[in-house]
Amino acid sequence: RTNFNLNPNWSIYLEPQISVANLNFDSYKRISIDNVLANLNLSVQYRFSIGFPKIKKHTSKEVDYLNKTVNENRSLIEILEKQQNLLDKLDTLQKCCDEKVVTKVTKTSLPGYIRFALNSYTIEQSEQHKLINIVDYLKNTPDVNILLVGYADRKTGNPKYNWELSYKRVNAVITELERFGIDSSRLIIGWKGDKEQPFTPNEWNRVVIILESN
């Protein structure tokens, strides 16, 4: 028996066969030698295969890029979560507390940050309204303290200079809040320089971030 594989699915099989018979196997008398019969069998075979979808494998570079993206945005996500927690607390007060308490809750919310220009710790005119919001928020929530943390972007200056710049930025905000009558004992401050970068876009890190202190 011989087989020929044309491709992974198609095959041809050849099977020769030879038979020898005596003189009277067909009821006739003969004087010739035994009969010799030769046959050749031909068969064709097709194999059916069921394929499974291939699973795409990410390369190591793709995995590294995904991990880097997640890490870069983790700090921003944490900040947004803290702000969302604040909004959730205010929403809970509005829904769950009695009418007398609800009337004390104002629509004024705590701004997430105050931005600064490059190499500056002067509060821009466009950011002044955020100071007013902080003041209103603290006056309407006398039991709340806030945390202010200063930052500088990493792509300009140097670590030592940026450390001092982030301190000057947070101190500028504190000075303005005290000028509006906010007690400094309610203000918790910190500064990070360019050691930490809360935002992915470089220029966004020229900020003082404001959070409610637990």
Side-chain angles (χ1 to χ4, degrees):
R1 182 177 180 179
T2 305
N3 64 294
F4 300 93
N5 296 320
L6 302 180
N7 55 49
N9 299 100
W10 288 96
S11 299
I12 296 176
Y13 293 88
L14 295 175
E15 185 175 3
Q17 184 178 7
I18 299 175
S19 301
V20 179
N22 57 29
L23 292 174
N24 57 0
F25 82 102
D26 56 359
S27 301
Y28 289 95
K29 291 183 179 180
R30 302 178 187 193
I31 54 177
S32 61
I33 62 174
D34 291 346
N35 292 312
V36 178
L37 300 176
N39 296 310
L40 181 63
N41 296 322
L42 172 65
S43 61
V44 179
Q45 176 178 294
Y46 180 79
R47 298 182 184 89
F48 292 93
S49 60
I50 301 175
F52 294 93
K54 294 183 178 179
I55 300 175
K56 182 182 178 181
K57 296 182 178 179
H58 291 287
T59 64
S60 59
K61 288 185 178 180
E62 291 174 330
V63 173
D64 290 342
Y65 174 78
L66 292 174
N67 289 333
K68 180 181 178 182
T69 302
V70 171
N71 291 330
E72 286 178 346
N73 289 280
R74 183 170 294 154
S75 297
L76 177 58
I77 291 172
E78 290 176 355
I79 292 171
L80 293 177
E81 286 179 346
K82 289 180 180 180
Q83 294 302 309
Q84 186 59 51
N85 288 337
L86 172 62
L87 295 176
D88 291 342
K89 288 179 182 179
L90 292 175
D91 187 58
T92 300
L93 285 174
Q94 291 174 334
K95 291 180 179 179
C96 301
C97 297
D98 57 57
E99 185 175 349
K100 291 182 180 179
V101 176
V102 171
T103 56
K104 295 182 181 180
V105 179
T106 68
K107 293 183 179 180
T108 303
S109 61
L110 193 64
Y113 54 85
I114 294 178
R115 298 182 65 178
F116 292 83
L118 175 65
N119 193 31
S120 172
Y121 54 92
T122 299
I123 300 175
E124 301 287 326
Q125 187 65 35
S126 60
E127 301 292 291
Q128 289 291 333
H129 70 282
K130 295 181 181 179
L131 282 172
I132 303 302
N133 286 346
I134 297 172
V135 171
D136 289 343
Y137 181 81
L138 291 174
K139 287 183 176 180
N140 284 286
T141 54
D143 297 329
V144 171
N145 298 330
I146 61 172
L147 172 66
L148 303 98
V149 183
Y151 295 88
D153 72 282
R154 188 171 292 167
K155 292 186 179 181
T156 55
N158 57 66
K160 181 180 179 181
Y161 182 85
N162 287 336
W163 180 266
E164 295 174 354
L165 180 60
S166 66
Y167 166 75
K168 291 178 180 179
R169 283 171 174 169
V170 73
N171 192 57
V173 177
I174 295 295
T175 299
E176 286 299 297
L177 292 178
E178 290 177 340
R179 188 170 67 86
F180 281 107
I182 301 301
D183 192 337
S184 60
S185 64
R186 302 179 63 188
L187 310 175
I188 303 170
I189 68 170
W191 55 98
K192 300 288 187 177
D194 60 15
K195 184 177 180 181
E196 296 180 11
Q197 301 288 268
F199 298 104
T200 300
N202 179 68
E203 61 275 11
W204 288 16
N205 294 299
R206 303 163 190 159
V207 295
V208 169
I209 290 178
I210 303 101
L211 299 171
E212 182 177 338
S213 177
N214 296 325

